[in-house]
Amino acid sequence: MTAQWHPQANMSQVSGNELVFARGEGAYLFDEAGRKYFDAPASLWYCNVGHGRSEIAEAAATQLRTLESYSNFENLSTRPTLDLAERVTAMSPIGEAKIFFTSGGSDAIDTAAKLARRYWSALGCPAKTGIVSRDLAYHGLHAYGTSITGLDANREGLGPLVPDTYRVATNDSSDLDALLADKADTIAAFFCEPVMGTGGVIPPAPGYLERVQQLCAAHDVLFVADEVITGFGRTGKLFATELFGLDPDLIVIAKGITSGYLPLGGVIASRRVWEPFYAPGTDLVFRHGITYSGHATACAAAMANLDIIERENLVERVAELSPVLHELARGLDSHELVSEVRTGVGLLAGIQMRNPDIARRVAAICRDEGVLVRVITNGTLQLSPPFVAEAPELRHATEVIGQAISTVSSQVESVG
Ligand code: PLP
């Protein structure tokens, strides 16, 4: 039995049955036996620049040899952290932004929720503590993320979680409208993934994001864009905020800032939110921080990752490659076992299978054929390849998926 207790795993099935990866190169992985796999989900939506980038390894090694990291609490910092903060706030669609660094997305969600509450109490509205999120939302699995997820399985068996959280319908603003009309005085923020990821790759309905943002503005509720997946190019723009013309008060980031080479996340704050904390002479302190907030080596890796994204024009590449992926994914729609194909925004596609068991069987065949596909909520196959994938590789991957669906179809027919 393996000592490693895997995340989101039934250990009775996983123990001793691991697929162990040994190395990666571009959009491919190699297991310990030397078998090659196309990485269709880019691991957990993050390996945007592709695997095996020695430039990032060198940048991290140089920083590790110089100074691995140091506390960023109070007035301490390290140069890569300050430089990355300047760079990300300059890139961010929020003008005059500041950034609070964390170790990953779930930390950043906790940070954003606490910051939203602290902001309102600083402004003399301590009753504004509620956090609203949406059905099928995924905001990581720390205590706040677990409390506000719209994926109920992630809350099962845990008992009471953070109070004052509310869930509204996805892609239907009338629910939020009704909630805010009734309770806005007690609500701090609305959290929203511009394109829902783990909930099944669900793009926003036309006009929906604009409408919920208007509602938040009208009711004095902070609008928080969770761009952990969409940030740093996944939608063909640097941020989905730009793509949809949004004006969030906070943007949550992680994954793509380092392409996963080292763990890092953050919350980008608008002037509205940071101003009271930066006001000359204020006593106000955001009493929050984690040991690896702004870790120097993670920040050095992020700088090298952003260099690659810029130098290789990878965001433009996503914009060019996305329609290719969308068309290939939509080609799978004709299979009877596929109930819906969700595409339309960025290098993302969700192939909704009839049920999770069918999705798992399809993914298992794909894996045997050298294509890694991840099964997410309700039996969706997640396609979110590295930005460096080539069109013929996407074609091959979708062909393998199509053949796997046909194989499962014939098995289902022969049983049924
Ligand atoms: N928010 C979104 C939209 C995510 O997809 C994720 C992770 O997949 C998170 C937050 C949590 O990030 P992490 O797993 O780095 O804690």
Side-chain angles (χ1 to χ4, degrees):
M1 288 209 294
T2 5
Q4 187 202 353
W5 191 336
H6 294 238
Q8 295 284 15
N10 177 337
M11 288 311 296
S12 73
Q13 291 167 14
V14 166
S15 185
N17 279 320
E18 285 97 343
L19 171 58
V20 186
F21 295 115
R23 79 187 171 87
E25 203 179 303
Y28 291 93
L29 291 156
F30 298 83
D31 68 18
E32 285 187 325
R35 288 206 57 204
K36 185 176 177 183
Y37 302 84
F38 179 70
D39 186 6
S43 185
L44 294 171
W45 324 82
Y46 64 67
C47 192
N48 295 347
V49 299
H51 302 282
R53 293 285 194 159
S54 50
E55 184 178 338
I56 304 179
E58 294 303 332
T62 302
Q63 185 59 42
L64 282 170
R65 279 191 214 101
T66 315
L67 175 62
E68 70 294 344
S69 192
Y70 202 76
S71 163
N72 279 242
F73 279 34
E74 302 194 351
N75 74 338
L76 307 175
S77 193
T78 47
R79 186 51 57 191
T81 316
L82 290 169
D83 288 348
L84 185 65
E86 290 296 330
R87 187 168 183 175
V88 172
T89 52
M91 291 166 92
S92 121
I94 295 181
E96 298 184 278
K98 309 287 182 201
I99 182 163
F100 193 106
F101 285 117
T102 65
S103 319
S106 300
D107 292 350
I109 288 291
D110 268 26
T111 302
K114 287 174 68 178
L115 180 55
R117 292 175 60 156
R118 191 66 188 93
Y119 165 78
W120 285 116
S121 73
L123 261 60
C125 307
K128 281 173 86 69
T129 54
I131 304 288
V132 185
S133 59
R134 303 184 293 162
D135 292 339
L136 296 176
Y138 183 79
H139 299 291
L141 291 177
H142 284 357
Y144 242 118
T146 306
S147 306
I148 66 174
T149 183
L151 299 171
D152 292 337
N154 287 316
R155 255 199 308 275
E156 206 176 289
L158 297 176
L161 291 160
V162 181
D164 294 337
T165 68
Y166 304 87
R167 244 161 344 273
V168 293
T170 301
N171 270 344
D172 172 2
S173 60
S174 58
D175 225 13
L176 182 67
D177 201 352
L179 179 74
L180 296 188
D182 185 32
K183 288 196 159 17
D185 289 353
T186 63
I187 304 249
F190 172 65
F191 279 55
C192 160
E193 298 157 85
V195 181
M196 204 168 245
T198 307
V201 187
I202 306 175
Y208 167 80
L209 290 171
E210 294 81 344
R211 178 74 189 133
V212 286
Q213 184 171 270
Q214 282 163 5
L215 288 169
C216 290
H219 289 281
D220 243 359
V221 164
L222 297 183
F223 182 82
V224 182
D226 181 346
E227 294 231 33
V228 166
I229 289 174
T230 52
F232 301 98
R234 176 63 62 191
T235 65
K237 293 278 185 196
L238 260 175
F239 291 88
T241 289
E242 283 172 66
L243 183 68
F244 296 112
L246 304 176
D247 186 18
D249 298 296
L250 299 172
I251 299 179
V252 179
I253 57 161
K255 302 190 192 269
I257 190 171
T258 61
S259 289
Y261 277 74
L262 282 171
L264 185 67
V267 179
I268 302 173
S270 63
R271 184 181 189 106
R272 171 189 189 178
V273 176
W274 61 254
E275 203 161 33
F277 298 89
Y278 276 65
T282 183
D283 289 335
L284 192 60
V285 173
F286 182 38
R287 289 273 167 216
H288 180 69
I290 40 183
T291 297
Y292 303 126
S293 287
H295 189 282
T297 302
C299 290
M303 292 294 271
N305 173 61
L306 298 179
D307 288 346
I308 292 172
I309 291 175
E310 284 172 12
R311 194 179 60 239
E312 298 184 6
N313 297 317
L314 291 183
V315 182
E316 293 76 6
R317 189 187 163 82
V318 168
E320 283 165 23
L321 208 54
S322 298
V324 176
L325 176 68
H326 299 170
E327 196 184 329
L328 289 167
R330 281 198 294 266
L332 297 169
D333 212 3
S334 55
H335 288 269
E336 230 187 83
L337 294 183
V338 173
S339 44
E340 191 181 18
V341 174
R342 291 184 288 268
T343 61
V345 185
L347 206 52
L348 289 163
I351 319 293
Q352 176 71 60
M353 305 306 297
R354 278 245 209 97
N355 64 51
D357 177 56
I358 285 173
R360 279 191 288 272
R361 286 162 67 180
V362 170
I365 296 171
C366 291
R367 185 189 278 195
D368 288 345
E369 297 300 320
V371 174
L372 286 176
V373 183
R374 185 166 171 244
V375 178
I376 51 174
T377 314
N378 298 330
T380 302
L381 304 177
Q382 169 195 335
L383 304 186
S384 53
F387 300 172
V388 293
E390 302 281 346
E393 295 168 342
L394 298 181
R395 187 161 301 114
H396 174 71
T398 45
E399 278 167 13
V400 168
I401 295 169
Q403 283 155 11
I405 296 172
S406 299
T407 305
V408 174
S409 255
S410 53
Q411 291 166 352
V412 170
E413 272 165 30
S414 66
V415 173

